[in-house]
């Protein structure tokens, strides 16, 4: 099965509304990164998390290592928030790779 | 500060042709990664380097793929005899050598093999 499971796979929001994306991890995870991939394919870093919570503008993200999940909350969604959101798990130790989920495609409509 | 740069941005090949992708990491980052992202999936690691040394290439299809980073800065990923199944975006990332380091990605090269 998927080592990093993202939900939902797709989401449509009206401008100004709020929502949450989630990642569940079935591998040991020490840090989490969240990215937004734009239609041209560029991956933009949103958050880098150790266990805990970070906030940046309208975005807020939490990583709970004990329960093996992370969430990304989007408040007051804007058109420019549209794209594919990926979470990625870093297992630490001698393994430096990021294990990605399959992404959540977010469409924000007027 | 400049981010990770990659070229070309797009490549279209016939099956059997060869192609090379080039990556320039963030200045000062000693660790460089190549990921493959098939359509509608998340990126998957192919290979990564610390300086000029390959640390893990276990996911690199070694019969047709090769990657080098001869001076520990720029890197080249090459596909010999491309197949339709290689159609994907190839992403380069860099970080400091630290098993908790944040990785930063380039814009990717979108490869289509006809």
């Amino acid at each position: 099965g998927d080592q990093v499971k993202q939900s939902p796979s797709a989401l449509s929001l009206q401008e100004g509304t709020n929502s949450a994306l989630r990642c569940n991890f079935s591998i040991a995870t020490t840090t989490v990164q969240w990215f937004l991939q734009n239609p041209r394919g560029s991956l933009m870093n949103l958050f880098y998390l150790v266990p805990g919570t970070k906030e940046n503008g309208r975005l807020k993200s939490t990583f709970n290592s004990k329960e093996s999940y992370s969430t990304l909350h989007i408040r007051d969604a804007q058109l420019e928030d549209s794209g594919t959101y990926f979470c990625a798990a870093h297992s630490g130790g001698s393994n430096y790779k990021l294990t990605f989920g399959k992404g959540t495609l977010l469409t924000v409509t007027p | 500060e400049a981010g990770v740069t990659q070229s070309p941005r797009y490549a279209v090949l016939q099956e059997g042709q060869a192609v090379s992708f080039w990556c320039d990491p963030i200045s000062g980052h000693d660790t460089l990664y190549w990921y493959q992202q098939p359509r509608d999936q998340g990126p998957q690691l192919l290979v990564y380097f610390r300086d000029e040394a390959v640390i893990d290439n276990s996911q690199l299809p070694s019969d047709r793929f090769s990657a080098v980073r001869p001076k520990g800065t720029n890197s080249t990923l090459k596909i010999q005899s491309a197949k339709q199944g290689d159609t994907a975006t190839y992403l380069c990332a860099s970080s400091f050598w630290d098993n908790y380091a944040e990785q930063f990605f380039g814009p990717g090269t979108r490869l289509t093999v006809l």
Side-chain angles (χ1 to χ4, degrees), chain A residues 3 9-10 15 17-18 29 36 39-40 44 50 52 55 62 66-68 72 75 80 90 95 103 105 108:
Chain A
Q3 295 179 319
S9 57
E15 263 188 308
T17 60
N18 307 329
T29 301
L36 171 58
R40 293 191 66 200
M44 181 170 64
V50 294
E55 195 162 351
T62 295
K66 290 182 181 177
E67 297 185 24
S68 300
L72 176 67
R75 175 174 54 82
E80 59 265 29
H90 193 184
N95 185 348
L105 176 60
V108 180

Coordinates of all heavy atoms in Angstrom, one line a residue, chain A residues 3 9-10 15 17-18 29 36 39-40 44 50 52 55 62 66-68 72 75 80 90 95 103 105 108:
Chain A
Q3 N 2.8 4.4 1.2 CA 3.4 4.7 2.4 C 3.0 6.1 2.9 O 3.0 6.4 4.1 CB 4.9 4.7 2.2 CG 5.4 3.3 1.9 CD 6.9 3.2 1.7 OE1 7.5 4.1 1.0 NE2 7.6 2.2 2.2
S9 N -8.2 13.3 -3.0 CA -7.3 13.3 -4.2 C -7.6 14.5 -5.0 O -6.8 15.0 -5.7 CB -7.6 12.0 -5.0 OG -8.9 11.9 -5.4
A10 N -8.8 15.1 -4.9 CA -9.2 16.3 -5.6 C -10.2 17.1 -4.8 O -11.0 16.5 -4.0 CB -9.8 16.0 -7.0
E15 N -14.0 30.6 -3.8 CA -13.1 31.7 -3.2 C -13.7 32.1 -1.8 O -14.9 32.2 -1.6 CB -13.2 32.9 -4.1 CG -12.0 33.1 -5.0 CD -12.0 34.4 -5.7 OE1 -13.1 34.8 -6.3 OE2 -11.0 35.1 -5.7
T17 N -13.6 30.4 1.0 CA -13.9 29.3 1.9 C -12.7 28.7 2.5 O -11.6 29.0 2.0 CB -14.8 28.2 1.2 OG1 -14.1 27.7 0.1 CG2 -16.1 28.8 0.7
N18 N -12.9 27.8 3.4 CA -11.8 27.1 4.1 C -11.8 25.6 3.9 O -12.9 25.0 3.6 CB -11.9 27.3 5.6 CG -12.0 28.8 6.0 OD1 -11.5 29.7 5.3 ND2 -12.7 29.1 7.1
T29 N 8.3 8.6 10.2 CA 8.5 9.9 9.6 C 9.0 10.9 10.7 O 8.4 11.0 11.8 CB 7.1 10.4 9.1 OG1 6.6 9.5 8.2 CG2 7.2 11.8 8.5
L36 N 3.4 23.0 -3.1 CA 2.4 23.3 -4.1 C 3.0 23.3 -5.5 O 4.0 24.0 -5.7 CB 1.8 24.7 -3.9 CG 0.8 25.2 -5.0 CD1 -0.3 24.3 -5.2 CD2 0.3 26.7 -4.6
P39 N 0.7 24.7 -12.4 CA 0.5 24.0 -13.7 C 1.7 23.8 -14.6 O 1.8 22.9 -15.4 CB -0.6 24.9 -14.4 CG -1.3 25.6 -13.2 CD -0.2 25.8 -12.2
R40 N 2.7 24.7 -14.4 CA 4.0 24.5 -15.2 C 4.9 23.4 -14.6 O 5.9 23.1 -15.2 CB 4.7 25.9 -15.2 CG 4.0 26.9 -16.0 CD 4.9 28.1 -16.2 NE 6.0 27.8 -17.1 CZ 7.2 28.5 -17.2 NH1 7.3 29.5 -16.4 NH2 8.1 28.1 -18.0
M44 N 6.7 24.4 -5.2 CA 7.1 25.5 -4.3 C 7.0 25.0 -2.9 O 6.0 24.4 -2.5 CB 6.1 26.6 -4.5 CG 6.3 27.8 -3.7 SD 5.3 29.2 -4.2 CE 3.6 28.6 -3.8
V50 N 8.9 19.8 11.7 CA 9.1 18.7 12.7 C 7.8 18.6 13.5 O 6.9 19.4 13.2 CB 10.3 19.2 13.7 CG1 11.6 19.2 12.9 CG2 10.0 20.5 14.3
G52 N 4.7 19.4 15.3 CA 4.2 20.7 15.8 C 3.5 21.3 14.7 O 3.0 20.7 13.8
E55 N 2.5 28.3 10.9 CA 1.5 29.1 10.2 C 2.2 30.1 9.3 O 3.2 30.6 9.6 CB 0.6 29.8 11.2 CG -0.7 30.3 10.7 CD -1.7 30.7 11.8 OE1 -1.5 30.3 12.9 OE2 -2.7 31.3 11.4
T62 N 0.1 21.2 10.5 CA 0.4 20.5 11.7 C 1.0 19.1 11.3 O 0.5 18.5 10.4 CB -0.8 20.3 12.5 OG1 -1.3 21.5 13.0 CG2 -0.5 19.4 13.8
K66 N 3.2 11.2 16.6 CA 2.7 10.0 17.4 C 1.5 9.3 16.7 O 1.4 8.1 16.7 CB 2.2 10.5 18.8 CG 3.4 11.0 19.7 CD 2.9 11.4 21.0 CE 4.1 11.8 21.9 NZ 3.6 12.3 23.2
E67 N 0.7 10.1 16.0 CA -0.4 9.5 15.3 C -0.2 9.4 13.8 O -1.1 9.1 13.0 CB -1.7 10.3 15.6 CG -2.1 10.3 17.1 CD -3.4 11.0 17.4 OE1 -4.2 11.1 16.5 OE2 -3.6 11.4 18.5
S68 N 1.0 9.8 13.4 CA 1.5 9.6 12.0 C 0.6 10.3 11.0 O 0.1 9.7 10.0 CB 1.6 8.1 11.7 OG 2.5 7.5 12.5
L72 N -2.9 20.2 6.3 CA -2.6 21.6 5.8 C -4.0 22.2 5.7 O -4.9 21.8 5.0 CB -2.0 21.5 4.4 CG -1.8 22.8 3.7 CD1 -0.8 23.6 4.4 CD2 -1.4 22.6 2.2
R75 N -7.2 28.8 4.6 CA -8.2 29.7 5.1 C -8.4 30.7 4.0 O -7.5 31.2 3.4 CB -7.8 30.4 6.4 CG -8.7 31.4 6.9 CD -8.3 31.9 8.3 NE -6.9 32.4 8.3 CZ -6.4 33.6 7.9 NH1 -7.3 34.4 7.4 NH2 -5.2 33.9 8.0
E80 N -5.4 31.9 -6.7 CA -4.0 31.6 -6.9 C -3.5 30.4 -6.0 O -2.4 29.9 -6.2 CB -3.0 32.8 -6.6 CG -3.2 33.3 -5.2 CD -4.1 34.5 -5.1 OE1 -5.1 34.6 -5.9 OE2 -3.9 35.4 -4.3
H90 N 10.0 12.5 5.4 CA 11.4 12.2 5.5 C 11.6 11.3 6.7 O 11.1 11.6 7.8 CB 12.1 13.5 5.8 CG 13.6 13.4 5.6 ND1 14.4 14.5 5.8 CD2 14.4 12.4 5.2 CE1 15.7 14.1 5.6 NE2 15.6 12.9 5.2
N95 N 18.5 7.5 5.7 CA 17.7 7.6 4.5 C 17.4 9.1 4.2 O 16.6 9.6 5.0 CB 16.5 6.8 4.6 CG 15.6 6.7 3.4 OD1 15.9 7.5 2.4 ND2 14.7 5.8 3.3
G103 N -0.8 13.4 -4.1 CA -1.2 14.8 -4.3 C -2.7 15.0 -4.2 O -3.5 14.1 -4.3
L105 N -5.4 17.6 -5.9 CA -5.6 18.7 -6.9 C -6.7 19.6 -6.4 O -7.8 19.2 -6.2 CB -6.0 18.0 -8.2 CG -6.4 19.0 -9.3 CD1 -5.2 19.9 -9.7 CD2 -6.9 18.3 -10.6
V108 N -9.8 26.3 -7.1 CA -10.5 27.4 -6.5 C -11.3 28.1 -7.5 O -10.7 28.6 -8.5 CB -9.6 28.3 -5.7 CG1 -10.4 29.4 -5.0 CG2 -8.8 27.5 -4.7

